Structure formats: structure tokens, C-alpha cells
Amino acid sequence: MWWAEAVARSLPAFKVLANELKTHEQTILRELVEECQGHPVDLGGYWLCDERKCVDAMRPSQTFNALIDEPIMMSNLDPPGSKTVDSIYAAMDANLRVVRRKLNNAPLTLAEKIVYGHLDDPENSPAPVRGVSYLKLRPDRVAMQDATAQMAILQFISSGLPKTAVPTTIHCDHLIAAETGDVEDLGNAKVENAEVYDFLSSCGDKFGMGYWKPGAGIIHQTVLENYAFPGGLMIGTDSHTPNAGGLGMCAIGVGGADAVDVMASLPWELKAPKVIGVNLTGSLSNWTSPKDIILKVADILTVSGGTGAIIEYFGEGVDTISATGMATICNMGAEIGATTSVFVLSERMLEYLRETGRSSVAKLAEMNRANLVPDEGCVYDRVIDIDLDTLAPHINGPYTPDLCTRVDKLAQRAAEEGWPVEISSALIGSCTNSSYEDMAKCANLTQQALDAGLTYKVPFYVTPGSRAVQVNIEKDGFVDIFEKAGATVLAKACGPCIGQWKREMPLGVKNTIVTSYNRNFAKRNDGNPDTHCFVTSPELVTMLAFSGRLDYNPYADSLQTPDGGAFKFEVPAGCPAIPPSGWDIDDSIFQPPAPDDKAALVDIKVDPHSKRLQLLEPFLKWDGADYLGCPVLIKAKGKCTTDHISMAGVWLKFRGHLTNISENCLIGAINAESGDTNAVRNAFTHEIGKVPEIAAQYRDVHKSPWVVVGDKNYGEGSSREHAALEPRFLGGVAVIVRSFARIHETNLKKQGMLPLTFADPNDYDKIRGEGMLLDILGLGNGQLKPGSQLTVRARDAVSGETVHEFFVDHTFNDEQIKWFEHGSALNYMKMVNAERAMSA
């Protein structure tokens, strides 16, 4: 310390370091003396020591090391002064020391290490309890796709803050519609979405956000290639943000309001997740792919079995899976409701980091391995054992991602269920399976078929995950192979996976498509409720495209060649995760944040007559009274995902305009009273109209708040907060269901609504969707408290007589109640910021 201060007096550049060393002096001394001297050290051998263990032994103070070492950025694309990996690992280690003390040194899972390692103030927080405690966390970064970024940034603008507090990126991938091919579709998107792209680009410059231009690639593949790292904590405004778990990162999908909290330097709140362990034994080999692992896990846990939990993959089988394969598994973990999914540190992760130009991050991760793997003896809330040696190829669907069928049983099941066996289209790519390795395997299989004289029997669409993937598969000839067999290569975007598909298939035509995507709800891909979508590995999709039939088993059956011979696919060999010639990139598709002096000159303008963008008006504060006489806008029957509540597809263009996007509110939900969609009865006039129209009538004409009644796992699927914003904007005050999906429940709270669950699930059947008014009692006079139970009185809309009375539960904590009272989390944040400014 003395030397640092002495040098700083002569060389002012050292002053910052000297001050940091002085600030952390007691911690450094404790690490160097109390926790080091006199204790035995394992060097990994006597004659031949382990190099890493020797380095660790000679550098016992992680705090000191983090201060004097050259800082390693999370990404070289981040703005100067951004948080470094060194500082993140040092903070994790310090936090975990506190947490371990409070938990009596109980062994921790990897998920716990990452989450608890990012606590805002562990010393003054109680010991975390899985599934109970609400944690205040400090995520390392934020990632947003263009559709959700619009509303998130509009909320950030209304907060009045000048710049994001953590590295934040915007990725243009959702607004590009697939139709004819990469070049044409990208060109059309740039014209059609020019206003939105200009807005996002200028906001990137203004607020210090990195901007990935249209054509740069799908957000999750881009994050994996450039930003993800072991042990990091990231939130993203897309439900498949967990893709980064393939590199050992806890990456969690959230709504835009959560992203605003983090960008505004507020602690982010998360209920301490439970941890489900998946023990992978054996070896991934032959035809079994990483996709088959998550298809099987979905079969075991179902679409709601992971709710409130992090899925942690460990075991000997991990080392046989590539980093991009692990990303595939984590990506689709969103379909089982998991908070996120993560893999323990492995050599395959480090290999991927090195090959994508992040060797320094890989080296630092190796040095911090102890905090990037689970402790021996750690306890999971549940353990699922999967033997990779015996795991067979699977295919899931239709209409739900957890309906799992072994491929060798598919023909029989399709016949029994009446599924169309003739395939109308086959699609590979999307954020789930669009890596170089995926493309290499599919190109290998395609070349095998070409050599036998075969071409695709059905339209075959290829979506590379990023510009980097495209550059490398073009370099290695894969694109030529696909096109020679008849494929259409689409833009590096979400496209058909999210309904951005201008498909020539009339509505009402019963048909089957096979994809390597992650989600397959009704209408999801093409708006046709009769399209049966099956999700599986890209390898199986490719092989099925050459037969054109769902009842073809490529692992056992042969295809007839033009010369009358028999052709059978062989397991693709020599398909690395990274091209042998090196990882080529195209940096022209990234716009770094503008320097502060230039950012100050950027003027953000939103045309008040725009149909695409609209500045936000704050929602009204709660008036402090119980809600009385609320009509049921709709009683939703069965599965009601965020796609049902706020459809994507053609509606994506209005994601930045709350008034216009609200015209799709709940138009996909099935009315339990009639079985119809987008048709409900006005409780006061008894006229039937479209759902958004009746909602607006309640708000504007009848001045009446209204509620939605729903079934199980309400709001599953996408993280889109529009599914909460739209009901709030149209006058909704509560959603009462049997159970919620995690993200949607939080989004409703953020927007000032009441997400409530039936204390007795059977009460769902006693509520009518027509002719009934609900009184929500127990809110006023400070009665709404954490753990309190509310009473709902159901009355006949004509006579006013009470028909039924029942209890509902909520999960609000003290701070979330403040969100409700102030009208939204954003309103509350602005109030807190204003008070801080006045007291400063």
C-alpha cells in the first residue's frame, strides 16, 4: 500500500489504483495473512505440479489480483469504463464468502453461486432461501431484441435518465419477415421498418447502447458469440435469453420494465429460484443430438414443471456436448417455464471462448473455476438422470413443446392421432439451432443425399443464426450445398419461428411442418390454426425434408434413388463447432455507442402522428379503494400464452405504439363461454364485439375496470410485456387464474395490475365469462400486504345479487405493493429518483 501511494505521488496515473488498494486494504490483508499463511496448499503434485494450482497459490488475494491485473472486458465491443470480468469474479467471490457464512458453509449449486454472487448487499440481507426469499441482484448486462426494445427504451426515456448504467445492446432480428430469401427480405425490412431502426439506432447513440443492425443476426446467437461468459448474470427482453447458459451464464428473460430497472442502476428483484439438477451420464454419440436432451427434459417436466427454478446440467456427459449444443438445450428450457438454464464450466466452453476471440476470458474463467462449478455434496430440489448412451432421437409436438415422441414410434403415433403425415415445409435455424455446427451437420447430410441423386421433396428453409455464421458457412461451401438441393436461405433473423413468415398456405388447410425451432403453439409460425408444427433436431428436419413424410424413420428406413437404388443416411462426421480455418466476422453490422460528447448532441424525436412509435403516458395511480363491479372481459379456456394475449406476426410492427398494438389484446384467447376467439359480450349492453373493442368500451363508455379469468400456466411463452401493457392500457385491473407463468406474472405487477390465483382452483369453473361482475375486496386501508388473501365477490350483472364468493392469493412483496399503489413500477421508480434528486 505504501509503495502504491508513493508511486502515485510521482505518477498521477497510479492515483486511482492507490486509492482502490487503500479502500480494500483490510480485505487484502485478510486474504494474504489470515486466510493464507499457515494453511496447507495443494499444488497438484510434488515433482510435476499443476500450473493453475501453483498460480493460485502464489496469488492468494483475489481482491488484490483484480485491482492490479489488466482488466478483462466482458466484450471488446462494450463502452470504455464498463464493468470487467475481473471485477465481476472478485465481487462474486466476496459475496459468496458472506452467503456461505450465513448458510453455515452449506455446499452450493452453480446456479446459487452465480445468483447469490450477484447480490446487491449480501451483508445486510437475510440468508437466501430457495423459493421463498426475494433477492436484490446486480446483473452485469442487458440485451434487447428490436421488437421488445422499442417499449423498453420508451420507458427508459420516460424515466429521464441520461445513460444506461450497465452495458446494453439492441439486436434487430424480429422485424424481418421471411418470404423470398436473405437479400430481398432484408432489403424490404430496411424500407418497411426504417422509422423504427432509425429510432433504435439513435437511442443507442444517445443512451450508450450497442446497436446490432438488421442482418447482424438473431440476438441469442450474437450474444453467445460476443458477450456471454461463465458466471455472468444477464437479463434480456426475450424469453429465450437463457441461450447464454451454454457458456455457463445465468441469462434470464424478462419484460422491458425489468430491463429499465437494471439500465437505471436499480437492483433487480428475483425470487430465489429453486434448482433442478439434470445429471447427464454416458456420452452424446451416434444420431442423438443436444436437442434430444431438452426434448426429453420437456417431456419429463412439461411446460410448467420448471417454473420458479433454474435447470442446472452437470455430470460426465457435459464434456461430450459442444458450447453451441449446450446453448440449444438452455434456449429451449424456456418452454418448460424455467427461470433459466445453465451448464457447469467445461472445456468445450473454454474452447468456444478461445475460438471466438475471447482467450483472456477463458483464462480468467479457468482461474476462477471453483465458483463456476457446483460444490461437492450440493443439494438440488430435484434431480433428473438422463443416460446419453441410451437416449434416442425424439420429436415434440404438435401444438405444445412437451408432447414427446421417439422417432421410431412416430409413424404409429401419427396414424393413431390423425396427424397429417405429408410434410408441407421443413425449416432449420432460429435462435435454437443456427450455429456453425448445426449448419455443418445439415450440410453434410444434404451432401450425402445429393451424392445419391436426391433433392429436397418439400420447401426447405435455412436460417443462419448470425452474420458471422453466414460468413463462415458461405466460406466453407455449405450455402452452395443447401441451394443445390433446393433450399431457400433466409435472412439472419427470427422469421418463421415467431410468425414472421409470408407463407403461401391458406388458413384452414390441415398440414404438417417440421422445424428445429423451440416453440410450436397453434398459429405460432404462420397464423394457421391447422398447421401441425413439430420441433426436433436440425439433422432430423433435414433428413425428413428428403422424404417429405412424417412417417419416415431415417435411422432405419431407406430412400429410393433416381436409379432405383436404396439410400440411407449416415451419421455426419467431421462437423466442428468452429470452422477449422478460423472464425471470420463482419464488424460492419455493429454500431458501437457514441462517445459522451457526441451522445449529448443526439436528439430523439418521435412523430406524434407515427403509426409505429408513441411516447408513453404514465398510468394513473391506484385510488386506494377496492375494485367494485368489474365485468369479466373474457374467461379464457385452456392454454393462453402470450401469443394468445398479444400476437406477434403482422402485429410486430406496432410494438412501439401502445395504442395500436392494443388492438390485438387477447384476440387469440378462446372464450370459455362460446369457444370463439375475439368475440365477447358486453356485460352492460349485451352486445357482442371484438375483445379489444369491448375492453375499450368498459374503459371509455362505462368507466368500469375489468378483469380477465384464466386457466393454468397463464401467460406462458414469450417474455413480451405487451401482454401486460395492453390489458392495463385498455382499463384492466386484475387477472385471476389457476396459475401463472413466471415472467408474465412479474410483467403484470410491473404495470400496476393484480395477478391473482384462485385459492381453490375449482372456483375457475364457478365463474362465468358473461353476465357477471366481480368485486375485489381487501385492497383498501392498507389491507394489501405480503401473504394477505383477498376476497372476490361474484355478482349477477343484472340483479346485482351475490352468486359466489371465493378467496384469491397473490405473491406481492412490500416493494411490489408500492408498484401497484403508484400505478406501475416505472411510476414508483420516477418518484424514488425525484426524491433522491431533491435530497442530493
Side-chain angles (χ1 to χ4, degrees):
M1 307 299 175
W2 185 89
W3 280 109
E5 292 174 349
V7 171
R9 283 193 290 270
S10 301
L11 299 171
F14 280 87
K15 188 173 182 179
V16 174
L17 175 59
N19 290 338
E20 287 290 325
L21 289 170
K22 187 66 177 177
T23 299
H24 297 87
E25 181 175 6
Q26 294 305 314
T27 301
I28 293 170
L29 289 175
R30 186 184 71 244
E31 292 172 346
L32 289 174
V33 181
E34 297 175 21
E35 299 177 7
C36 174
Q37 301 300 320
H39 296 284
V41 177
D42 177 17
L43 299 180
Y46 185 76
W47 296 109
L48 296 174
C49 299
D50 182 284
E51 180 183 356
R52 185 178 61 82
K53 290 183 177 180
C54 289
V55 170
D56 289 344
M58 297 300 292
R59 295 161 51 88
S61 172
Q62 291 202 29
T63 306
F64 182 74
N65 299 337
L67 290 173
I68 65 170
D69 287 345
E70 182 179 352
I72 297 171
M73 304 285 285
M74 285 186 280
S75 171
N76 291 331
L77 301 175
D78 286 340
S82 296
K83 189 187 296 187
T84 64
V85 181
D86 314 66
S87 64
I88 292 166
Y89 284 166
M92 280 182 63
D93 194 70
N95 283 358
L96 289 175
R97 290 173 190 268
V98 176
V99 172
R100 287 183 186 281
R101 185 181 76 238
K102 293 190 174 187
L103 294 176
N104 298 316
N105 289 316
L108 299 176
T109 64
L110 170 61
E112 289 175 303
K113 289 183 179 182
I114 299 176
V115 172
Y116 301 163
H118 283 79
L119 283 167
D120 177 49
D121 185 7
E123 195 65 67
N124 295 308
S125 302
V129 180
R130 291 185 204 163
V132 176
S133 304
Y134 278 92
L135 308 176
K136 295 288 189 179
L137 304 174
R138 289 287 181 179
D140 302 314
R141 63 183 314 114
V142 174
M144 303 183 290
Q145 40 96 334
D146 51 356
T148 52
Q150 296 171 63
M151 194 59 69
I153 291 173
L154 287 166
Q155 292 177 82
F156 186 79
I157 290 172
S158 67
S159 75
L161 296 170
K163 190 174 181 180
T164 59
V166 301
T168 300
T169 52
I170 304 164
H171 303 259
C172 295
D173 62 358
H174 270 56
L175 300 180
I176 304 170
E179 184 174 15
T180 56
D182 180 17
V183 176
E184 297 88 346
D185 294 346
L186 182 57
N188 291 337
K190 288 180 177 179
V191 173
E192 293 172 4
N193 304 307
E195 179 186 7
V196 173
Y197 291 150
D198 289 345
F199 170 74
L200 295 175
S201 173
S202 60
C203 286
D205 275 339
K206 180 72 174 179
F207 302 117
M209 307 173 188
Y211 175 70
W212 290 86
K213 304 173 187 178
I218 304 173
I219 177 173
H220 309 305
Q221 183 65 30
T222 301
V223 166
L224 196 73
E225 294 168 0
N226 296 278
Y227 300 111
F229 66 95
L233 177 64
M234 178 180 74
I235 64 168
T237 60
D238 189 276
S239 57
H240 295 109
T241 299
N243 191 81
L247 281 178
M249 187 178 217
C250 266
I252 302 175
V254 299
D258 278 342
V260 173
D261 284 351
V262 177
M263 292 190 288
S265 193
L266 294 176
W268 174 62
E269 188 175 76
L270 177 71
K271 193 171 188 178
K274 295 184 178 181
V275 187
I276 298 174
V278 179
N279 180 23
L280 302 178
T281 58
S283 176
L284 195 67
S285 58
N286 297 322
W287 285 111
T288 307
S289 73
K291 190 66 163 280
D292 294 306
I293 297 173
I294 185 58
L295 295 178
K296 187 60 183 176
V297 172
D299 176 44
I300 295 169
L301 289 176
T302 76
V303 291
S304 60
T307 303
I310 292 178
I311 313 297
E312 181 170 311
Y313 293 86
F314 65 95
E316 62 181 0
V318 168
D319 292 324
T320 67
I321 308 172
S322 68
T324 52
M326 290 186 269
T328 291
I329 295 166
C330 293
N331 177 296
M332 196 172 164
E335 307 317 313
I336 54 177
T339 300
T340 190
S341 301
V342 67
F343 274 80
V344 302
L345 185 68
S346 73
E347 178 55 36
R348 304 299 295 275
M349 293 181 187
L350 301 175
E351 172 188 281
Y352 187 82
L353 286 168
R354 289 190 288 264
E355 293 294 337
T356 51
R358 293 173 285 170
S359 296
S360 56
V361 175
K363 184 177 180 180
L364 196 58
E366 280 190 286
M367 294 173 62
N368 289 271
R369 179 180 292 272
N371 285 336
L372 302 176
V373 295
D375 289 335
E376 186 175 349
C378 69
V379 178
Y380 295 95
D381 294 282
R382 176 180 178 180
V383 175
I384 297 170
D385 293 301
I386 295 182
D387 182 0
L388 300 183
D389 289 333
T390 59
L391 181 65
H394 287 75
I395 187 168
N396 286 23
Y399 298 124
T400 184
D402 58 355
L403 183 59
C404 188
T405 306
R406 280 175 54 127
V407 175
D408 57 1
K409 307 292 184 183
L410 183 58
Q412 177 184 346
R413 189 168 191 181
E416 293 171 350
E417 301 285 352
W419 298 334
V421 294
E422 291 189 4
I423 298 170
S424 58
S425 289
L427 308 94
I428 63 169
S430 88
C431 63
T432 320
N433 279 110
S434 56
S435 67
Y436 176 88
E437 180 182 28
D438 292 323
M439 297 294 141
K441 290 179 179 178
C442 295
N444 182 296
L445 292 167
T446 299
Q447 187 62 60
Q448 290 182 37
L450 284 171
D451 292 342
L454 301 174
T455 56
Y456 301 122
K457 283 281 187 70
V458 298
F460 187 75
Y461 299 94
V462 179
T463 304
S466 68
R467 174 61 180 153
V469 169
Q470 183 189 39
V471 166
N472 286 285
I473 66 173
E474 286 178 345
K475 174 183 68 175
D476 291 343
F478 300 164
V479 171
D480 291 339
I481 293 172
F482 290 135
E483 292 181 338
K484 192 178 297 183
T488 298
V489 178
L490 300 173
K492 291 80 60 188
C494 301
C497 184
I498 61 165
Q500 283 281 60
W501 187 13
K502 296 181 179 179
R503 188 185 187 200
E504 295 181 1
M505 173 64 70
L507 293 181
V509 175
K510 193 174 180 180
N511 71 104
T512 284
I513 64 173
V514 289
T515 81
S516 68
Y517 302 166
N518 44 39
R519 194 165 283 164
N520 59 352
F521 303 133
K523 303 183 182 181
R524 169 74 181 182
N525 304 110
D526 60 3
N528 183 1
D530 291 303
T531 292
H532 295 57
C533 176
F534 295 83
V535 294
T536 186
S537 69
E539 299 96 293
L540 181 56
V541 173
T542 303
M543 292 185 287
L544 289 175
F546 283 98
S547 73
R549 294 186 61 84
L550 199 62
D551 53 7
Y552 162 65
N553 178 4
Y555 313 119
D557 302 340
S558 298
L559 294 174
Q560 185 174 356
T561 61
D563 61 4
F567 165 73
K568 192 174 180 181
F569 285 102
E570 296 180 357
V571 177
C575 301
I578 296 292
S581 58
W583 186 248
D584 292 348
I585 61 173
D586 176 4
D587 57 11
S588 67
I589 38 75
F590 176 70
Q591 172 189 297
D596 289 347
D597 57 338
K598 293 184 178 180
L601 303 176
V602 177
D603 188 19
I604 305 297
K605 294 182 179 179
V606 175
D607 183 350
H609 303 293
S610 171
K611 294 182 179 180
R612 301 290 300 272
L613 298 166
Q614 179 187 48
L615 293 175
L616 296 175
E617 293 292 332
F619 291 131
L620 295 177
K621 291 178 63 175
W622 174 53
D623 64 6
D626 290 338
Y627 290 126
L628 303 177
C630 305
V632 177
L633 174 66
I634 185 172
K635 179 181 178 182
K637 178 182 177 181
K639 188 183 287 287
C640 191
T641 72
T642 49
D643 281 276
H644 294 87
I645 304 168
S646 176
M647 286 187 176
V650 296
W651 291 96
L652 283 169
K653 66 177 68 175
F654 301 121
R655 285 285 181 86
H657 197 292
L658 185 53
T659 299
N660 288 344
I661 191 68
S662 294
E663 292 181 14
N664 83 352
C665 183
L666 286 158
I667 64 175
I670 299 174
N671 187 340
E673 301 299 325
S674 64
D676 296 330
T677 58
N678 201 22
V680 294
R681 188 181 300 277
N682 185 309
F684 303 112
T685 67
H686 310 297
E687 295 178 352
I688 294 176
K690 296 178 180 179
V691 181
E693 292 175 355
I694 300 300
Q697 288 173 19
Y698 288 150
R699 178 193 63 188
D700 301 331
V701 178
H702 306 292
K703 309 298 181 184
S704 174
W706 50 263
V707 303
V708 170
V709 174
D711 209 325
K712 298 176 182 177
N713 208 30
Y714 182 89
E716 68 175 285
S718 167
S719 69
R720 68 191 65 150
E721 66 179 339
H722 298 79
L725 279 163
E726 293 172 32
R728 179 74 166 100
F729 174 74
L730 289 171
V733 294
V735 179
I736 307 173
V737 300
R738 281 173 164 157
S739 64
F740 282 103
R742 174 190 65 86
I743 299 176
H744 187 60
E745 181 181 21
T746 300
N747 285 345
L748 288 169
K749 292 179 182 179
K750 287 278 185 177
Q751 302 308 331
M753 291 192 71
L754 291 170
L756 307 172
T757 54
F758 293 104
D760 179 359
N762 292 320
D763 284 326
Y764 168 87
D765 296 319
K766 300 174 183 178
I767 302 302
R768 299 196 308 271
E770 295 180 357
M772 185 172 276
L773 303 179
L774 303 183
D775 301 332
I776 303 175
L777 311 175
L779 297 172
N781 301 316
Q783 296 178 80
L784 179 62
K785 296 178 180 178
S788 66
Q789 200 168 56
L790 306 180
T791 300
V792 177
R793 183 171 56 216
R795 296 185 289 116
D796 183 84
V798 176
S799 68
E801 295 181 359
T802 299
V803 177
H804 181 53
E805 201 166 87
F806 57 97
F807 295 111
V808 291
D809 298 318
H810 67 84
T811 60
F812 282 96
N813 61 27
D814 287 319
E815 182 172 337
Q816 292 170 345
I817 290 174
K818 296 292 185 185
W819 302 346
F820 169 69
E821 291 173 343
H822 284 78
S824 71
L826 184 60
N827 288 354
Y828 178 64
M829 182 184 77
K830 291 169 69 174
M831 184 275 293
V832 171
N833 287 342
E835 289 181 348
R836 287 175 180 170
M838 291 179 63
S839 61

